[in-house]
């Protein structure tokens, strides 16, 4: 991907769709520019959801809504994608995450592996791993990060760094002793040992701590306790391997992080997925926008550029549960 610039001095306000199309053809790309890539992924953002958002935004301005144009619809390139898994007509987030982050179609429920991997048979992932754009960016000397409103071990972000025959092996708690004896690794373990990720922000504390470890935010809730059977403290492993790195779990700690002297930041703000925005504890959890801004400030210090994956999962979940409004 190249950074691109317009070859007109100024762009007039978009008045109709023909103007939008005309603006798309005057884009020129400069391959000498430093590459900065944002992958802003919004599951559930299909044609119907986009239509609803377009109309609602227009109606908030006291318009009828249909004639409104969303900011993303004014981008120089806009396209529809055709999604499916190798073994499923209706895809899941793991197989599709592998497709758009690794460039390889995969079986439903598998992460970071080709379709030669059999769903649920952990050892079949060996030798069938595929590399993600996040990994390739890191190998090219760029800084990389993931920001999500789910657990950071969830299917979409995990496709950027993990290789697994099953998306649900968040920690070794979900795996059998036979799988572990075969050398299969859970997704949380791969998060801290595979690609060297500079910024990791989202939920997922429970999968990083030994079984029974009380959660710092919900110490009396046993359902929020740590889950790991191997007794590893993965946050400590991650910190120990990266001098000067920081781990935070609440908004106060997060806001205290100084971007200018921080090259590595992990923030896990919930035991599992983060909360809906309407239910978010504003004193404890940052917003998606705040996490994204923090990530950009840290990653953008790299003169070679960066790759940042940003996901808002709740548009999909709201659509599934009829809570779009």
């Amino acid at each position: 991907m190249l950074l691109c610039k317009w070859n007109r001095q100024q762009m007039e306000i978009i008045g109709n769709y023909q103007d939008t199309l005309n603006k798309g053809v005057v884009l020129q790309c400069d391959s000498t520019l430093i590459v900065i890539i944002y992958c802003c992924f919004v599951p559930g953002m299909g044609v119907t959801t986009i239509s609803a958002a377009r109309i609602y935004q227009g109606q908030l301005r006291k318009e009828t809504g249909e004639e409104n144009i969303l900011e993303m619809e004014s981008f120089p390139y806009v396209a529809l994608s055709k999604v499916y898994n190798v073994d499923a007509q209706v895809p899941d987030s793991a197989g599709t995450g592998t497709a758009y982050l690794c460039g390889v179609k995969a079986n439903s429920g598998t992460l970071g592996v080709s379709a030669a991997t059999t769903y649920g048979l952990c050892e079949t992932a060996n030798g069938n791993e595929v590399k993600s754009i996040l990994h390739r960016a890191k190998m090219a000397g760029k800084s990389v990060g993931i920001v999500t409103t789910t657990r950071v071990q969830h299917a979409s972000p995990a496709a950027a760094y993990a290789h697994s025959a099953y998306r649900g092996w968040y920690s070794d708690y979900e795996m059998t002793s036979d799988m572990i004896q075969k050398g299969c690794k859970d997704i949380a373990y791969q998060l801290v040992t595979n690609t060297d990720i500079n910024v990791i922000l989202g939920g997922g504390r429970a999968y990083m701590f030994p079984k029974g470890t009380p959660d710092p935010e919900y110490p009396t809730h046993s359902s929020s306790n740590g889950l790991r059977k191997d007794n590893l403290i993965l946050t400590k492993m991650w910190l120990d391997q990266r001098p000067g790195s920081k781990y935070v779990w609440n908004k106060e700690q997060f806001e205290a992080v100084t971007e200018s002297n921080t090259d590595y930041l992990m923030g896990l703000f919930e035991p599992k997925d983060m909360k809906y925005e309407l239910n978010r504890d504003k004193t404890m959890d940052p917003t998606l926008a705040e996490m994204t801004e923090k990530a950009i400030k840290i990653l953008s210090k790299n003169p070679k550029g960066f790759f940042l994956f940003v996901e808002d999962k709740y548009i999909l979940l709201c659509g599934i549960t009829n809570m779009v409004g």
Side-chain angles (χ1 to χ4, degrees):
M1 181 177 179
L2 306 177
L3 271 185
C4 299
K5 57 184 180 182
W6 295 104
N7 64 1
R8 292 180 181 174
Q9 291 297 315
Q10 295 182 350
M11 303 305 296
E12 64 274 13
I13 297 174
I14 295 172
N16 54 56
Y17 285 105
Q18 186 59 49
D19 286 344
T20 305
L21 294 175
N22 290 340
K23 289 174 175 56
V25 299
V26 300
L27 191 69
Q28 294 183 340
C29 295
D30 185 349
S31 60
T32 65
L33 296 174
I34 296 172
V35 179
I36 299 174
I37 304 175
Y38 301 90
C39 178
C40 298
F41 179 63
V42 186
M45 205 68 170
V47 173
T48 53
T49 304
I50 293 172
S51 297
R54 180 192 308 117
I55 293 168
Y56 181 61
Q57 184 186 62
Q59 289 176 346
L60 288 176
R61 295 199 299 263
K62 308 302 182 183
E63 301 167 357
T64 59
E66 290 83 358
E67 76 286 357
N68 180 48
I69 296 178
L70 296 171
E71 185 64 29
M72 65 181 179
E73 293 176 312
S74 69
F75 289 176
Y77 295 109
V78 180
L80 294 174
S81 61
K82 182 170 62 177
V83 293
Y84 58 93
N85 295 144
V86 171
D87 63 343
Q89 192 174 70
V90 179
D92 89 307
S93 298
T96 51
T98 301
Y100 63 76
L101 287 171
C102 304
V104 177
K105 286 288 187 183
N107 291 326
S108 180
T110 63
L111 282 170
V113 291
S114 72
T117 298
T118 303
Y119 172 79
L121 292 180
C122 73
E123 66 274 19
T124 64
N126 297 332
N128 294 313
E129 299 91 343
V130 291
K131 297 177 181 178
S132 73
I133 184 174
L134 178 141
H135 179 79
R136 294 175 186 273
K138 188 67 178 185
M139 293 302 98
K142 305 181 191 306
S143 296
V144 297
I146 57 174
V147 176
T148 181
T149 53
T150 67
R151 62 202 81 182
V152 295
Q153 305 86 358
H154 206 261
S156 298
Y161 62 82
H163 311 287
S164 179
Y166 176 54
R167 59 179 285 175
W169 292 330
Y170 301 124
S171 72
D172 63 343
Y173 175 79
E174 291 83 16
M175 303 177 74
T176 66
S177 57
D178 180 62
M179 295 174 188
I180 295 170
Q181 289 171 4
K182 290 178 179 177
C184 300
K185 300 299 183 183
D186 62 87
I187 295 168
Y189 184 86
Q190 293 187 56
L191 172 65
V192 303
T193 59
N194 283 4
T195 304
D196 182 27
I197 304 175
N198 297 84
V199 177
I200 303 168
L201 299 173
R205 286 194 297 259
Y207 308 108
M208 310 292 280
F209 293 91
K211 185 175 174 61
T213 303
D215 184 80
E217 188 174 357
Y218 312 105
T220 61
H221 298 178
S222 60
S223 60
S224 300
N225 288 352
L227 293 169
R228 301 199 64 81
K229 296 184 293 187
D230 57 13
N231 289 321
L232 292 176
I233 303 175
L234 295 185
T235 52
K236 184 178 185 302
M237 278 182 55
W238 189 81
L239 291 168
D240 290 345
Q241 295 166 2
R242 296 162 180 82
S245 57
K246 297 180 176 65
Y247 167 69
V248 299
W249 63 267
N250 62 51
K251 189 174 183 180
E252 181 180 5
Q253 295 172 347
F254 173 79
E255 291 178 340
V257 172
T258 304
E259 299 90 352
S260 60
N261 61 10
T262 302
D263 294 324
Y264 287 92
L265 173 64
M266 178 186 290
L268 304 177
F269 304 104
E270 288 291 336
K272 295 180 182 176
D273 293 339
M274 295 184 70
K275 292 183 170 65
Y276 285 94
E277 177 60 24
L278 290 176
N279 300 328
R280 179 176 62 89
D281 184 338
K282 295 176 175 56
T283 66
M284 296 297 291
D285 296 345
T287 65
L288 178 63
E290 289 168 339
M291 292 191 292
T292 302
E293 181 179 7
K294 181 77 72 173
I296 291 172
K297 288 180 177 179
I298 293 173
L299 300 176
S300 61
K301 295 185 299 177
N302 188 334
K304 293 185 177 181
F306 66 85
F307 171 83
L308 176 62
F309 175 83
V310 181
E311 177 197 31
D312 184 357
K313 191 76 171 183
Y314 284 116
I315 290 178
L316 170 63
L317 298 181
C318 286
I320 291 174
T321 57
N322 273 337
M323 294 172 60
V324 174

